Amino acid sequence: MAKNTNDEQFKNVISHAKEYGFVFQSSEIYDGLSAVYDYGQLGAELKNNIKTYWWKAMVQMHENIVGIDSAIFMHPKVWKASGHVDGFNDPMIDNKDSKKRYRADQLLEDKIARYEKDGKTDKAAKLQADMDDALKAENLQLLKTLIEENDIACPVSGTKNWTEVRQFNLMFSTQFGAMAEGSEEVYLRPETAQGIFVNFLNVQKSGRMKIPFGIAQIGKAFRNEVIARQFIMRMREFEQMEMQFFVRPGEDQKWFAYWKEARLKWHKALGTPAEKYRYHDHVKLAHYANAATDIEFEFPFGFKEVEGIHSRTDFDLSQHQEYSGKKMQYFDNDLNEEGKPYGNYIPYVIETSIGLDRMFLLTLINAFEEEDLSTEDKQDSRTLLRLHPCLAPVKVAIFPLTKKDGLPEKAREIMNSLKLDFNCIYEEKDAIGKRYRRQDAIGTPFCLTIDHQTLEDDTVTIRHRDTMEQQRIEIKDLFDIIGNKVSWKNLLR
């Protein structure tokens, strides 16, 4: 069987996601809503399992990290203090012929990638440096000049008939209040981090937390992306898993290095090939940061960020102290024990931020496989998802061999004994081989077949997804065999 190209593989993953109930286009019966997606019955399960893996690793496994769930709506001053009202913009440019809108920096990044592919490393480096300078200075005219000088054409029209570059704020705004005339403009949060920062003192005091400690959160965020592409890679409504770790000033780089290593270890524990990941250390830093690294994964369309680790200094808490008038300081009792005077200070923050939807896409791409099972006598293949058993939406599929002779009743009995602990599915339609293939395609690690021998000696056939190996085992051993394979202990050590 010929190996798929990267483009073909990505298209196949997207098609598979819809066919088997992982991801659907939002409002599809009304021709869809651009860059908005719904998670189907299996997608919701997989997504929840990824969340559970992150939450257990971040909160349950750390005594000094706790979780919260802050509101999507926040006081407008929160976003003024964070800088989003004034500075959360993308530089956009339109092609006059195609009427298509593009991010100016992405057009330039694509050109840099082409220069590098063609071996024009000097040109790539110069364009990268010039673009970084333009973005840092918010020099929109220079961005347009770089597009023109590097002969960049519209991918749709093929022309270079460009408008001026303009800044476009990415926040969604709405009205808050019962009456339109008395309502206040508020924003759908563009990130979840600020909900953690404004609750820093609430959590610290109520939880009696001592520095260093972290606050974790999983939640929806919203950005009015003008250029949304690559399926669920970049969406207008998405979900983040973030942790803000509060440390003493001066210890930030030590903790930055710790979390950089710890987060990559979390990714690799799923069995993803190490070469699929890489660090991208930022040279150009955000105004609030003194260090930043992205963990990038090699998607079919290239290496892209899936998680960011940022040393944010004391910027966020200092800003909220200034705008709210409330002290955001921590009184450090432990300093005196180390021979240092007691002190109030605003903690520094190390952030780990992972896009849940990107992690979902990464997981699907990494697990998707079209396996050739052909022999000299027969052409055969199967599509399967080699998901880690902990992440698999369905853990066990239960098949009665036939629909008669008491086999369905026995199969139901076995399912009822397992379903409290494992997500199970029951199926009796079609031949066993077809049922196996359907479960392979959704990533189910175990299939149990109940046959006439089961009624005689309380044994079943268990079939393993990855190897297709079949074993005869006693029903009383099922819980231990399946439980050991799907236990979170396999990932969280």
Side-chain angles (χ1 to χ4, degrees):
M1 183 181 293
K3 188 174 179 64
N4 287 331
T5 65
N6 286 340
D7 285 344
E8 288 173 337
Q9 181 202 20
F10 190 45
K11 289 176 182 177
N12 288 343
V13 168
I14 294 172
S15 176
H16 192 86
K18 179 180 180 182
E19 181 180 358
Y20 287 95
F22 284 91
V23 183
F24 305 129
Q25 176 71 54
S26 178
S27 311
E28 185 175 310
I29 62 172
Y30 293 101
D31 297 326
L33 189 62
S34 177
V36 184
Y37 290 89
D38 299 330
Y39 286 84
Q41 65 276 18
L42 293 178
E45 293 288 346
L46 176 56
K47 196 177 185 186
N48 283 335
N49 290 341
I50 295 172
K51 289 182 190 179
T52 299
Y53 175 41
W54 184 86
W55 193 267
K56 284 181 177 291
M58 196 61 77
V59 178
Q60 193 168 327
M61 300 297 290
H62 291 90
E63 294 181 22
N64 61 341
I65 300 178
V66 295
I68 68 168
D69 183 7
S70 67
I72 288 173
F73 290 122
M74 303 179 74
H75 195 286
K77 282 188 178 179
V78 169
W79 306 112
K80 188 72 175 174
S82 68
H84 284 82
V85 171
D86 298 322
F88 194 54
N89 304 297
D90 274 346
M92 311 304 301
I93 190 169
D94 293 81
N95 182 267
K96 296 177 183 178
D97 298 317
S98 68
K99 311 300 182 187
K100 294 292 184 181
R101 180 169 293 171
Y102 303 92
R103 271 180 54 178
D105 56 327
Q106 287 183 347
L107 288 174
L108 291 169
E109 287 172 356
D110 290 344
K111 189 67 174 182
I112 291 168
R114 285 196 293 273
Y115 280 150
E116 290 175 340
K117 185 177 180 180
D118 295 339
K120 300 176 181 178
T121 54
D122 290 343
K123 277 193 170 185
K126 183 179 186 307
L127 181 53
Q128 182 72 62
D130 289 343
M131 183 184 72
D132 288 345
D133 289 343
L135 291 172
K136 188 172 183 180
E138 297 185 3
N139 189 334
L140 303 184
Q141 183 55 51
L142 178 55
L143 286 174
K144 183 183 181 184
T145 300
L146 291 173
I147 288 172
E148 293 173 338
E149 288 179 349
N150 286 274
D151 207 31
I152 296 175
C154 170
V156 175
S157 68
T159 67
K160 303 160 191 172
N161 191 11
W162 298 108
T163 65
E164 297 302 313
V165 179
R166 301 179 305 283
Q167 291 285 25
F168 183 84
N169 194 284
L170 301 179
M171 285 199 295
F172 286 104
S173 63
T174 188
Q175 300 302 310
F176 200 82
M179 302 294 290
E181 59 270 19
S183 63
E184 183 177 22
E185 185 178 41
V186 296
Y187 302 98
L188 297 181
R189 64 184 182 193
E191 65 175 29
T192 58
Q194 299 306 318
I196 294 175
F197 295 132
V198 299
N199 278 297
F200 163 70
L201 287 181
N202 286 334
V203 173
Q204 188 271 313
K205 291 177 179 178
S206 63
R208 302 174 67 192
M209 308 297 294
K210 297 174 68 173
I211 295 285
F213 74 91
I215 303 175
Q217 177 171 211
I218 300 175
K220 288 287 185 78
F222 307 84
R223 296 180 185 177
N224 194 15
E225 297 278 4
V226 176
I227 307 302
R229 54 184 178 178
Q230 294 162 337
F231 193 34
I232 59 173
M233 186 73 184
R234 186 182 293 276
M235 299 191 294
R236 294 186 170 94
E237 176 185 341
F238 56 97
E239 204 158 358
Q240 292 180 304
M241 303 186 294
E242 292 198 332
M243 192 277 295
Q244 309 296 329
F245 197 71
F246 301 92
V247 303
R248 289 177 182 172
E251 296 186 356
D252 44 302
Q253 292 306 303
K254 175 185 75 174
W255 285 109
F256 175 77
Y258 170 84
W259 284 111
K260 179 177 173 179
E261 180 180 349
R263 293 309 302 148
L264 185 58
K265 182 179 179 181
W266 179 90
H267 285 272
K268 290 181 177 179
L270 288 169
T272 311
E275 64 271 15
K276 288 285 187 178
Y277 282 108
R278 73 181 186 187
Y279 287 125
H280 172 67
D281 296 319
H282 288 226
V283 176
K284 177 197 165 196
L285 297 173
H287 61 279
Y288 54 76
N290 61 14
T293 293
D294 291 338
I295 294 175
E296 295 183 336
F297 176 78
E298 188 179 17
F299 290 92
F301 39 83
F303 276 97
K304 299 292 180 182
E305 175 196 356
V306 291
E307 179 161 5
I309 300 94
H310 310 114
S311 180
R312 299 179 69 112
T313 68
D314 62 354
F315 171 81
D316 299 280
L317 294 181
S318 295
Q319 285 291 102
H320 289 303
Q321 177 172 278
E322 177 184 344
Y323 277 78
S324 70
K326 307 292 193 304
K327 287 189 177 296
M328 303 293 284
Q329 296 177 334
Y330 173 78
F331 183 72
D332 199 331
N333 290 307
D334 293 338
L335 283 175
N336 196 49
E337 297 177 6
E338 298 176 10
K340 301 174 183 178
Y342 295 122
N344 284 328
Y345 57 81
I346 296 178
Y348 274 38
V349 179
I350 308 301
E351 172 184 75
T352 72
S353 178
I354 178 170
L356 175 55
D357 305 277
R358 291 189 180 192
M359 187 65 200
F360 183 101
L361 181 59
L362 179 164
T363 302
L364 272 188
I365 289 172
N366 188 54
F368 182 81
E369 183 176 334
E370 294 174 304
E371 186 177 22
D372 188 356
L373 301 175
S374 299
T375 64
E376 291 183 4
D377 303 321
K378 182 181 178 182
Q379 291 291 316
D380 193 15
S381 65
R382 67 169 179 160
T383 299
L384 74 157
L385 293 180
R386 290 190 189 272
L387 294 167
H388 192 286
C390 290
L391 298 188
V394 177
K395 309 302 187 195
V396 189
I398 298 170
F399 306 149
L401 187 62
T402 66
K403 300 178 184 180
K404 58 184 180 179
D405 300 333
L407 298 185
E409 290 78 8
K410 187 64 176 179
R412 289 286 184 186
E413 178 187 320
I414 293 171
M415 180 168 174
N416 288 335
S417 72
L418 296 175
K419 68 182 182 182
L420 185 62
D421 296 285
F422 312 113
N423 194 16
C424 302
I425 190 169
Y426 176 91
E427 192 171 25
E428 59 183 32
K429 182 182 178 181
D430 292 329
I432 284 292
K434 287 187 176 180
R435 286 184 259 177
Y436 284 156
R437 288 293 191 268
R438 279 198 291 270
Q439 296 306 311
D440 290 343
I442 66 173
T444 304
F446 303 105
C447 294
L448 306 179
T449 300
I450 289 80
D451 55 22
H452 293 90
Q453 185 179 340
T454 306
L455 302 180
E456 298 173 5
D457 60 10
D458 273 347
T459 64
V460 298
T461 298
I462 185 170
R463 188 251 195 189
H464 300 264
R465 177 198 66 204
D466 293 344
T467 63
M468 297 188 291
E469 177 189 1
Q470 297 185 30
Q471 297 173 292
R472 198 76 192 181
I473 63 170
E474 295 187 38
I475 292 174
K476 65 181 179 63
D477 295 330
L478 279 175
F479 187 88
D480 288 339
I481 291 172
I482 296 168
N484 286 335
K485 291 293 186 179
V486 304
S487 172
W488 291 105
K489 293 178 182 178
N490 296 318
L491 289 174
L492 302 168
R493 294 191 178 96

